[in-house]
Amino acid sequence: MSAAAWMTIAVAGLILAITAVGLIRIVFHLWAIRGTLRAVTGGVQVVDQLTSTVPARLTSVNANLKPVRDFCETV
């Protein structure tokens, strides 16, 4: 093989190696972002549970206040 062929192979190998290192760095950054997004999603779910809508809780409140309403109607 001529020197030009070896040089072409060396340059192609170098380009592939640099590209591989860049892609591996991107994978590590995406893993870090994934961990952060999991934490944020967990926090959002907690806020959602703590701020649930009134109608979901209103039925139990109405059931507990039924004796008071019945008493007030008799007065």
Side-chain angles (χ1 to χ4, degrees), residues 66-75:
K66 185 176 180 335
V68 174
R69 183 178 56 217
D70 292 342
F71 173 76
C72 290
E73 288 176 358
T74 61
V75 173

Side-chain angles (χ1 to χ4, degrees), residues 3-19:
W6 284 112
M7 189 61 164
T8 302
I9 291 173
V11 170
L14 186 62
I15 290 171
L16 287 174
I18 291 171
T19 304

Side-chain angles (χ1 to χ4, degrees), residues 16-68:
L16 287 174
I18 291 171
T19 304
V21 169
L23 290 175
I24 290 171
R25 288 184 65 205
I26 290 171
V27 167
F28 286 130
H29 286 293
L30 289 175
W31 277 344
I33 291 169
R34 181 177 164 190
T36 303
L37 287 176
R38 282 185 178 169
V40 169
T41 303
V44 168
Q45 289 174 350
V46 168
V47 169
D48 181 44
Q49 291 172 358
L50 293 175
T51 59
S52 64
T53 58
V54 174
R57 297 180 184 179
L58 193 59
T59 56
S60 65
V61 171
N62 283 338
N64 290 335
L65 290 177
K66 185 176 180 335
V68 174

